[in-house]
Amino acid sequence: FPSHDKRMMQAFDLSDRDGMYECQRLSDEIGAVYQSDRSLGASLWAMKRILQHRGIGEAHVMTTLQDGTNEEALALIENFTKTYKA
C-alpha cells in the first residue's frame, strides 16, 4: 500500500529502526490477513480483493487461480480494516 511503503522508506531514510520494525510488523499482520490458511491462488484472490477495496485495480483473477465467495470477501475486508487503519 503506497502510504505504508512511504512511511517505511521515511523511517529507513531517517535510520529510524523502531519505525522500520513497526512498519515490518504491520506488513506481516496485513500479509497474515490475506495469506493465512489459504493456498497461493486463494491468497492472490484475497490480496486483489483488498487492493480493490482500497481503490487499486479489480478483483478479477485468471481461471487457474481460486476465486472466493462474497461472504469470504466481506470477512476478509472486515479483518483487513481492523488490521490496517490508514
Side-chain angles (χ1 to χ4, degrees):
F1 304 107
S3 62
H4 180 71
D5 291 343
K6 184 177 179 181
R7 281 194 304 256
M8 187 179 286
M9 289 307 301
Q10 287 171 337
F12 178 80
D13 289 342
L14 296 171
S15 298
D16 177 4
R17 294 175 72 79
D18 291 338
M20 287 186 289
Y21 285 125
E22 176 59 23
C23 288
Q24 183 61 51
R25 183 199 59 75
L26 180 57
S27 181
D28 291 345
E29 284 185 23
I30 292 169
V33 168
Y34 66 86
Q35 292 176 352
S36 291
D37 301 320
R38 289 186 174 88
S39 67
L40 176 60
S43 293
L44 291 172
W45 166 81
M47 180 181 63
K48 289 182 66 86
R49 286 303 292 242
I50 290 172
L51 290 171
Q52 179 188 35
H53 172 73
R54 300 285 296 172
I56 305 170
E58 297 295 324
H60 305 295
V61 293
M62 297 175 62
T63 57
T64 56
L65 299 179
Q66 183 177 345
D67 203 359
T69 66
N70 284 335
E71 292 79 18
E72 289 172 313
L74 290 173
L76 172 70
I77 297 304
E78 181 180 341
N79 194 1
F80 170 76
T81 303
K82 289 177 184 175
T83 302
Y84 189 72
K85 298 174 180 80

